[in-house]
Each structure stands twice: as structure tokens, then as C-alpha cells.
Amino acid sequence: MTKHAGKTLYDKIFDLHTVRQLPTGQYQLFIGLHLVHEVTSPQAFAMLRERGLKVAYPERTFATVDHIVPTHDQKRPYQDAQAEKMIAAMESNAKEFCFMLYNTQSGKQGVVHIIGPELGLTQPGMTIACGDSHTSTHGAFGALAFGIGTSQVRDVLATQTLAINRLKVRRINVTGSLKPGVYAKDVVLAIIRKLGVKGGIGYAYEYGGSAIEALSMEGRMTLCNMTIEGGALCGYVNPDKTTFSYLQGREFAPGLDAWDRAVAFWSSMASDADAVYDDVVEIDGSVLSPMVTWGINPGQAIGIDENVPDPASMIADEAQVASRALAHMGLVAGQPITGTPVDVVFIGSCTNGRLSDLREAARIAKGKRVHAGVKALVVPGSQQVKKTAEAEGLDKIFTTAGFEWRSAGCSMCLAMNPDKLQGNQLSASSSNRNFIGRQGSPTGRTLLMSPAMCAAAAIAGKVVDVRAVDVRAAAALEVR
Amino acid sequence: MAKHIIEVSGRGVVVRGNDIDTDRIIPARYMKEITFDHMGEYAFYDERFTQELGRDGKPQQKAHPFNDVRFRGASILLVNKNFGCGSSREHAPQALMRWGITAIVGESFAAIFAGNCTMLGIPTLTVSSQEIEELMQQVEAHPQEQLVLDIAAVRIAAGNLRGEASMPESIRKALTEGTWDSTSLLLDGKDAIAALAKRLPYLNTFRGGSQGTGDVGRA
């Protein structure tokens, strides 16, 4: 690279946080923000105790409880003794090692990737790590954010650093503008479909182009959240005015006295106009439809107006997984995905449990009724999302329509709590993974889609094109 | 310092298929424990055992390589592409390790999974599609035969098969030099860490307004 070659945000943040190159050739990277939750941390604290180590930067360590928290009855002790034990361990670890824990009594508890941004902890130019693969979410702010395992959690606790290798950077341009009824969720499913679930191995994804720039911060979080589903460890959007105005006034955001200095630093971290990328991909955002998955990984997705693909028409690599997917899902090649009956609808998760997600779902559900026999859950991503949604009356819209209105947690996204599919139930889910068994039943089936599509499926009792039931989007379709 | 991992040998076990995710390697419901002690029992649980209980009141075994008597005692896992995709749960490599796996050879690995394996001293070697197929066939035909993974030279020997594999040079060094358990290596940079923290704008020139109002560790 010549002296004048532009740098990507990835390279700028990586360089800024490099403590030194290790004898192995890996880099020792400083982690500016360490987020912690109850499921992947107890063993890390045990390792600290064994080795007589402290938490190096407790003021940069923030914890919450989300994965295992029941969303229905949160009375302590929890009915599930194992869950109670995990929560108690999180509480005693926070006390012993002296860092902030947002538990259910705090009023600020929630899914870790929802509360970080909500509190203003997540900021541009930072390195952020958490023992959770969806840490990529925080890349929405122009941060270098990625998931780590428990032994790495131990390293961050003990040293605030990690031993890691540099990634390549792939720029993904989504051009044009999204049509009504098409959301960030559809964009990311379309990207993973195009590049594959393993296409991102070895890469960080930089998202840009007019369709991305037009996304709200919440939309950008949905997009970056599912980056890991495409095999890329982290993904980001360069910080801009949308980012800065989201942050202003949040609890941990810089105050007015420091605001200009912060914005100057944040802006300086964005990729240079002449930045050099290892790969560039173009996607036309204006032709995207609402997406639905038909298989057992998030890359197995199609537009709502398409038919389930035939493994026979695929390359060998994909055909085997596709055949397994059809067998598990009980779907047949060539059938339309529209009309597939649903048993359960889940609206929530770190992907789509934010206020704008709930608003869109409520807009679709307003004045309608959940189809007979469908169990529909709305799980706000945080206590603050819940409170704001209730102030807007969204809870009433949902409960009047027959949805269950729950408390904040990961809920049925990974079913480590009482919210689970039963038997081979099929769910329309706003979450991020349709893996076999993911939603708590080994034979359960998951169709991933946007919150608006989920709400439409709950009302119809089957998969439908949200644009047909959403007056606003339907009008746009007519024009087309 | 951790063990120097120069060579790993043992019998192979073949788990075919691309995109085998960590939810399949260990379902989330088995992560509700505060230690990794029992994880070995849960490896590939839903693929290995029926949900319905048999006449003996226990789940029944399903056909799976980890249940296959031919592979009993195997320690080198052979896989295809994107193995370990999905969740960051270290419970997945912990489950494999505690079941008896000491190294994995595949076409490609998900990033976080591979990182977790390194932290546990489990080498993840990659080979081409053709090479993994040959290795898989070799192991399926001769499950009693030893595979030898030369980590220092990044080479694999199995029966008559000999070949090169790939792994990032930094990971090869960490394994062979015994620094894969990175905590002490990182602690060595203590002063440099403190110096860097003093340079970061967001920790110095514009620290966040409030430092929070939540109660630390309040039960």
C-alpha cells in the first residue's frame, strides 16, 4: 500500500487499538468496551479466580442478563433452578469484580446488543467485544465489534485485550432505495443469500451505498447484527449524521461540552473516499422483495414471491444442505413459500426487538386478530424499549389483537428460557437463526422474516406478502 | 506456559456435511451450567439421541458417527465446509474436546469457532475438498488406522496418504510455542496496554457524560 492510499474504518480502528504485535505474529488489540451476559461468562470468572486475576478495566465492563431470563414470570427465584443459578452467578461476579450489571431490577436490562446502543455505550471508533456472536450489531455505529468465546472473555476481563489476526475488508454497496415493505432484515437476508453463509469467512463487511445510508440506526443494527450469519466476524456502517444524532443525549454519550471533539474523532474514523478494499460487491436495493427463509441456515432465503428452490438445480456443495433442509422443514421444491401455515410467531431478539420493529409490527396488527390456533409473542428487546412502547400504546394494539406482550429477553430466539417451540411447530420469527433445533425443539422449524412480515403471518395464520396487507406498501405496489 | 502442540495423532471420526452449526454441536438448553464439566455428554446431542424415551426409560441412540462403534476412541475429527458456524459458544469446542477430540481437519471453519479451538489448544487444519474426501474415505475404510497431524510442518499422514494442510502461521506458532492459552502472553504487555488506554480519545478527551446510575452487582 502506498503512503497516500486511503484506509478503511476497519484498518483505522485496528491500528488505533493495536497494543503491539505478539511474538506469534498476532496482534494484541485493546478492547474499548466489553459487554458481558450470564451464559458465556461464569466459566471466565472462574478462570480469573483460579489464576488470581482481577478484572483489569471494570469501568469498561458492562453486564446484563438476557439469554436465560424468563419473559413471562420474572419472580425470583426463577422456576428453572439452573437459570436461577446462572443469574445468581452473574450477580455475584459483578459484585466480586466490581463492574456494572443491569439486572431486571435496574429498569435498563435487556438483550445485550440492544442496551449497549440504547445507553450510548456503543460509539463510533471503538473496539467492542462480547461473548456472543451477534456483537457484530454494534458495527452499525462504525465500531469494530465482534463475538468471542469464553476463554477470550477471560482474556478481555484479565487484560482488556485480545490476541487476534487482521481480517480482509469487503465493501458491500446496496444501491437505490428500498421499496415500502422492504426492511433492513430483507437486505441482510438478500446479502447472505447472494454471498452465502460461508462467503464472509476471513472478512469484515463494510456496508455502504444509498440504501444503507438511508437506513435508521435501528435498521443498521439489524443489518450488522446478521453479518455473522454470512460468515463475516464483523460488519459496519461508516458513522454519519444519523449515527451522531442517535447518540446525542444518551446516558453514556459524551456531554455537550465534549460533543464537538467526539464528533470530530468519530468522523475521522470513517473510511477514506479512496480506501482500498479486498473485495467489492454491488446489490441493487430497489429490486429487493420481502425475504423469507425456507431452510436451515439464513442463506437459504427467497423473495416472498419466489418458490422453494430445487436442490437438483444447485451445485453439490449446497445441494446436500438443501436436501436436508427440505426434509427437516417439510417443504417441497417448487412450492410457493407464500401460504405456508404457521403455528407460532415470534417478534423480538437482538435482530429485531427494537422500538421501530415493534412499531412496524403494530402498524400491521392494529385492528386485526391473530389467526385462530396461532401463538404469537412480542418480546421487547429491553426494559426501556418496553416502557417506551407502552407509552405509545403498542402493547394495547398487540394484546387487543391477541399477541402476548412479554418482558425483555432473548426469548425464543435461542430458547434457553421457557419460550420454546413444541414438536415440529413452524414459526415465523424475526430472529436471526433458522438452525435445526434453534428455537428449542429438535424438530421445530423456523422461517426468518422481518417483524412486519411476522405480524402479517400471525394475522393470516400463514406466510403472506406484507405488501398485500399493508395499505402503505400496497399503494406503492400498485404504482409499480 | 501451555503445552507445546507439535504433533497430534489418533484415530479419526468423520462427520460429513457443510455448515454444521454450533446449535447442532451443542443445543442451547445444555448451556445452562456454570462450568464446562459436563459438556462432553452433550456433543451433537439431538443428532445422537431420540427425544422419545425407549423401554429402558432412556433416550435411544440414533445413527451418528459419535455413536458409531467403529469410531469409538477416535480423537481427530474430519469435517467439511464452514464447520462451527453460528453462535460464539465455546461450549461447542468444549463439548467436542471433552468427548475426546484433540484436533479437527476440515475444508473451512467459522471464524469464532476456530478462534475458540485455538484457545483450547485444538488445532484446526484446512485442506481442499478433494483432500478431505480422500481422508474421509480413508478413515471410513480403515477406522483403526492412526492419523498423524504434524502441526509444526502443517502436514497430515493417514495410511498411504501424505499431504500438506493449511493454518494461519500465527496460530501454528501459538500452538507449537505453547502460547495458545494467551492470557499470560497478553499480561506481558501490561505497560503497553496502559499506555494505549491513555491515548484513546474516548477514554480521555471526551469520556461519556454520565458514568451510569445502575447499582453495581445489586442482587
Side-chain angles (χ1 to χ4, degrees), chain A residues 9-10 13-14 29 125-129 138-139 142-146 164 234:
Chain A
L9 174 139
Y10 177 86
I13 298 181
F14 200 101
L29 196 75
M126 276 183 178
T127 44
I128 301 174
H138 307 264
L144 202 172
F146 52 91
I164 66 168
C234 60

Side-chain angles (χ1 to χ4, degrees), chain B residues 132-146:
Chain B
I132 196 71
E133 184 56 34
E134 286 170 4
L135 282 170
M136 285 177 162
Q137 286 180 13
Q138 174 83 14
V139 168
E140 284 167 341
H142 309 283
Q144 294 306 316
E145 233 168 50
Q146 292 275 312

Side-chain angles (χ1 to χ4, degrees), chain A residues 177-184 186 285-291 304 360 363-364 450 452-453 465-480:
Chain A
S177 54
L178 305 180
K179 295 279 188 293
V182 179
Y183 299 88
D186 305 305
S286 61
V287 300
L288 298 180
S289 306
M291 302 288 290
I304 182 68
E360 282 302 293
R363 208 166 56 73
I364 305 299
S450 72
M453 284 282 287
D465 187 340
V466 67
R467 296 172 299 182
V469 296
D470 176 4
V471 195
R472 207 189 285 173
L477 265 191
E478 293 276 315
V479 175
R480 194 177 72 172

